[in-house]
Every structure is written in C-alpha cells, then in structure tokens.
Amino acid sequence: MTSSRDFFHSRLGFVLAAAGSAIGLGNIWGFPTQAANNGGGAFLFVYLIVTLLFALPALYAEIYLGNQAQSNPVSALKEACKDSVPNLGKHMGIIGLCGAVMMLSFYTIVAGWMLANALSPLAALLNFSDLSVWLSTSSTTRNLIFTPIFSLLGAAIIHQGINSGIEKWSSRLMPVLLIMLLGLIVYILQQPGAIEGLKVYLIPNFSQVMEPTLIVSAMGQAFFSLSVGVGGMMVYGSYMKKDHDIGKLVLSIASLDMFIAFMAGLLIIPALFVAQHAGFEVFSDGKLIGEGQLIFNILPQLFSSMGSIGLLVSFAFFSLLSIAALTSTISSIEVPVSYLVEEKSKSRNSATWLVSLVVLTASLLIIAFFDTLFGLVIQVLTTILQPLSCLFYFIVVGWLWKRGNKLVATNQKNHSKWLGLWGNYLRYCCPILLTIVFVNVAILN
Ligand code: PHE
C-alpha cells in the first residue's frame, strides 16, 4: 500500500505547502488581534520567544516523525511507539485526527466569512448593492451557504492528490498571497492615522510581558500558527522522501510563518487606527471592541468609506484571507483522508467526501450553538489539545521510539554535535518546560 503513495516532487513544493498550512487566519487575523489586545509589541516579543522555545521544536518533531514513518499520523505514531506503548501511540494519532476535524469545523466557518466578504465588493461593482450588503453582513444564512462552499473548495484540491492538488495549488497561491499583502501594507500605511498604529505595534509595552494570560495566549497562538499537534505537518512530512535536512526545512517554514504574521500586524493594526481616525469606534479601555470579530465589521466599513479604490482594497484584503485559509484547510483535511485511504482502504475520492461531510456536520453544530461552541472549540484545541499532542511528540522522539532517543542516536551516527544537542533539547527541556506551562494553565483556570 505504501508503495503507491503520492509525493511532493520538490523541496520547494514541500516548503510552500507546509508554509501554506502554517500561514492562515491565525497569522493574518489571530496574531494581529491578539497583539492589539495584549500590549502590541510586547505580544510580538513573547510570541517570538515561545515560538522558538516550543513551537519550532514541536514542528521539527512532528515533521521528523512523519518523514521517518512515511505513513499517515495514526500509523506513524503507532509504529514509533511499537516497542513501548503501541496503543497509546495509535490513540494519540486518533486524537490528533479529531483535532484536525475540530480545527476544520470552526475554520471553514471563518473562512466562509472571508470568501463572502471578498465577493461583496464584486457585487457592488456589478451594481448588486443589496447582495453586496448581504455578503458583508454576518448572518446564519450566510454561514449556512459559505461554510459548505469553502469545504467544497478544500475538498476539490484534496481529491486531486499530493502533487497535482496540494503542491500545485500551494505553489500558485502562496506568491499571490505575499504580493497582495505587500501591496495592502503600502496602501494602508499612507492613510491618515496609520502611523499611530504602527507605533503601538512596534513599541512594546513591557509592563504586560510577564502576565500569565499573555504567555498562555502567545503559546496557543504559536502552536496554532505553526499548525502543530493535529498531524497535518506529520502527514506532509510523510509525503517527502527521506534523507532531507529537516532542520533547514523547518527553519524556512517557521521563518516564513513568523514573517507573514509580523507583516499582517503591519497591515491590520495600522488599519484599525485608520478606522479610528475616520471616526469608527475601535477600542474601549485599550481592548478591541467585540473581540477579534470586529475586524470583519470595521474593515469593510472603512473600505467602503474609501470610494471605488476601497472596493479594490476590500477585494484584495479578503481574497488574501481566503487564500491563506484555503492552504491551511487542505492540510487538515489531508490528515483524516490519509488515514482512511491507508488504514481503511477507502479511495481518495470517497475519503475526501466522507471527511468533508463529517466536518460540515460539526460546523453546522457550531453554527447552531455559535455563542457557546465557537470560542470553546478554539480554546480547547489551541490551549489543550495542540500543546498536549506536542508534549507527546517530544516524549515519543526523546524517549519511547526504539526505547531511547532516536534523534540523538541518528545524529551520533552522523557525528553531528549540534544535532546531538538539539536531540537532548527536545528530550529534556521541551517536555519539562511545556509541563510547567501546563501546570500554570491548570492553576490559572
Ligand atoms: N496554522 C493555521 C493558521 O495559522 C491553522 C492551522 C492549525 C492549520 C492547525 C492546520 C492545522 O491559520
């Protein structure tokens, strides 16, 4: 079965697909919103530290596990734990798979908002003004139409496979995303009020740096942003031939991810201050009004007050978000799809439709009980499930695999001192530090 596996055809293709998974709404919406709410530059600072300390090593461990196993996350973890705790490995793989479905269940809803908002300026240009207003106003009907549309877009790419689907589309969409982002930043920074936002973003307010809530938020954000802990990066790692220098690949993916989050902050925070300057109410008591969702109310209003150039800006902005969301969505869909294809002998087509159906059902549940479920699912996923899975990856790579430290063993064979140190960092420091944070979260709650 493994011999018929599809592969990424180039290293660049792999990096773009993995960066496409990492770069998503978490970077362009989540990161700037959290930064605006948590001391601007101070959040940026803490975010960088926790990414380097935990999220990047977790990304390494996850890709390494998948790459060594050359199979889906459930069998990869089961195989890695086969000498010690095979059942635990399998169950943790399944938990990751559920995490991927959880991620998709709310992500496709938000992605649907982006798509609707991207179409709204087009409707306005074609003089369908009622339609345009409907597309940019949140409603349950809009959710019920655009969430399935977004799931379908993801499914359409996934059913084409790894090389012709994921690799091709990521390589097309990621450069477009970068160009749009740069263009929008240049435009927004020229608007009145933008420079004030730039200062808030770049000058840290260090009085907030040691607040435990800030550290926990930054950690959740870092894990979510690098897409670790749900098996998406593991499955991508498994579609790359063995013997690549994973360290270098991981560094490129994480740098691209952090760079885009940083750039998104340069766009969104100044844009919020431009809106404030134009008379919109954006902050109260230093916090964003209406949590993060305000961006979807304020920014369309701001763009529409800018006349016809505003329509273009709005289209570019929400298309940017839709593209970012799409390349992240496909990596999560691939997790259960690869499991069904390899372990349950389903065809790729039927696995894709089955997974889409399950995700859609979960999304409908969230839409029906939006106020209770939406925030809860995000919180459970990012602050419990993802860090817990990463803790497990560290323990597997450092302790359980072949009853010892597989990384250290491999690296000793290659006579690499740095990699040996890295192996020990993953073995000792990461699990201990992560456990300390966990205990703190438990006490905080
Ligand atoms: N990293 C993506 C983002 O920043 C979200 C994601 C999480 C994607 C988990 C896949 C798996 O938006």
Side-chain angles (χ1 to χ4, degrees), residues 21-27 103 107 224-227 230 328 331-332 386:
S21 163
I23 296 166
L25 299 174
N27 302 61
M103 175 274 181
Y107 209 80
F224 186 72
S225 186
L226 277 184
S227 307
V230 297
S328 298
S331 71
S332 279
Q386 286 185 281

Side-chain angles (χ1 to χ4, degrees), residues 90-114:
K90 181 178 165 195
H91 289 135
M92 285 305 289
I94 291 181
I95 289 180
L97 203 141
C98 296
V101 172
M102 255 169 106
M103 175 274 181
L104 289 166
S105 65
F106 72 83
Y107 209 80
T108 47
I109 300 178
V110 182
W113 301 345
M114 307 300 147

